[in-house]
Amino acid sequence: MKTLNLALIMVLISLTCFSQIKKVLIVATNIDSVGTHKSGTYLMEIAYPFQYFIDKGFEVDILTPKGGKTSLYDNGKVAEDLAKIQKNELFIKKTNNSLSPVEVKWADYSAVFYPGGHGQYFDVMYDERIALITSKIYEKGGIVGTAGHGIASLVNVQLSNCQYLVQNKRITCFPHWAELRFMNISNYGKLLPFDMEVVLARRGANLIVCTPENRPDKNYTHIVDATNRIVTGAFAVSAQWVAEEVVKLIK
């Protein structure tokens, strides 16, 4: 009888584990413009990781400060595979009905991913509820991944010991020289509240930033700190790579 009961317990445990769905939380913005430019979350930085997580068997939720419609934008040149994701029913549903912080059960998630775009400088960055959700996911063993300007979203995330999340973490970020050279949306950095390179360094990050000369070298733009469970990619094109590395780190 004891053997039978033990076997039954093991079966129930197995079924419970099998039924648990792996989940990833993507943090996006409700801000749809910066100055006179359309902005928000950059489409390729959310769409490619979203689809990759789905394809790998994860359930994905999208979180914004206000909930509801996620502000997305693109550069006017949407690749065919990106357009396919953009028109996907699940992607549309999730981006049109994002969760607000009060709707998120942080214990359900294996990882949190921050896509880039300039919108998050003006809402996500200052949302203490989102920062707390990220720290909770991280402190329970979850993975943090982010790309491009999304890395700026980490500057105010603090752990329960009041240490900044990025402190002593090996990370990269979107370089300030690239902001000054390429980013007309931010008026080449003038509309942004801070330079993320400066603030991340001040927070104690072990920061690796590419120069114009070594930009092609992925050792400066694609950083995995496996020990500390954080993955960062310097540019928008790094977003799917970040998602791939996040999945590798999830146990």
Side-chain angles (χ1 to χ4, degrees), residues 101-112:
V102 296
E103 296 175 292
V104 171
K105 297 179 180 178
W106 59 265
D108 292 346
Y109 299 94
S110 301
V112 57

Side-chain angles (χ1 to χ4, degrees), residues 39-53:
S39 188
T41 295
Y42 194 38
L43 178 63
M44 71 178 295
E45 293 188 65
I46 187 172
Y48 285 133
F50 177 92
Q51 191 61 51
Y52 185 80
F53 291 133

Side-chain angles (χ1 to χ4, degrees), residues 78-232:
V78 179
E80 186 176 343
D81 59 341
L82 182 57
K84 185 177 179 180
I85 300 170
Q86 186 181 22
K87 296 173 183 176
N88 179 272
E89 184 178 340
L90 180 60
F91 183 74
I92 292 172
K93 177 181 177 181
K94 291 285 186 174
T95 54
N96 282 342
N97 300 279
S98 69
L99 302 177
S100 68
V102 296
E103 296 175 292
V104 171
K105 297 179 180 178
W106 59 265
D108 292 346
Y109 299 94
S110 301
V112 57
F113 176 81
Y114 286 85
H118 289 93
Q120 40 96 30
Y121 274 87
F122 302 96
D123 62 353
V124 172
M125 258 249 352
Y126 303 102
D127 197 303
E128 296 177 353
R129 302 165 302 170
I130 292 177
L132 181 61
I133 288 167
T134 296
S135 68
K136 291 287 190 182
I137 292 172
Y138 180 78
E139 290 191 310
K140 81 176 184 70
I143 316 301
V144 174
T146 178
H149 290 87
I151 300 165
S153 296
L154 301 182
V155 300
N156 289 329
V157 179
Q158 290 180 277
L159 305 178
S160 57
N161 61 3
C162 296
Q163 176 178 303
Y164 285 103
L165 170 66
V166 298
Q167 185 174 331
N168 299 322
K169 309 300 192 302
R170 189 168 176 266
I171 65 171
T172 188
C173 73
F174 189 85
H176 188 60
W177 63 260
E179 194 74 44
L180 299 179
R181 186 177 297 185
F182 303 125
M183 293 292 104
N184 67 316
I185 288 178
S186 69
N187 194 15
Y188 306 99
K190 293 177 183 177
L191 297 179
L192 299 183
F194 61 90
D195 172 353
M196 80 169 90
E197 275 190 53
V198 171
V199 179
L200 288 168
R202 191 183 300 154
R203 299 291 197 243
N206 179 3
L207 196 58
I208 299 163
V209 184
C210 71
T211 65
E213 293 73 28
N214 64 24
R215 177 180 177 177
D217 187 342
K218 290 185 178 180
N219 288 315
Y220 296 94
T221 60
H222 292 66
I223 306 297
V224 179
D225 187 339
T227 301
N228 290 304
R229 295 174 282 109
I230 186 166
V231 184
T232 50

Side-chain angles (χ1 to χ4, degrees), residues 6-42:
L6 180 60
L8 180 59
I9 291 170
M10 294 303 293
V11 168
L12 290 173
I13 292 173
S14 298
L15 288 173
T16 300
C17 293
F18 182 77
S19 65
Q20 289 179 341
I21 300 172
K22 298 178 294 182
K23 299 182 76 172
V24 173
L25 186 67
I26 294 179
V27 181
T29 179
N30 300 115
I31 300 295
D32 61 5
S33 63
V34 174
T36 59
H37 293 278
K38 185 177 180 181
S39 188
T41 295
Y42 194 38

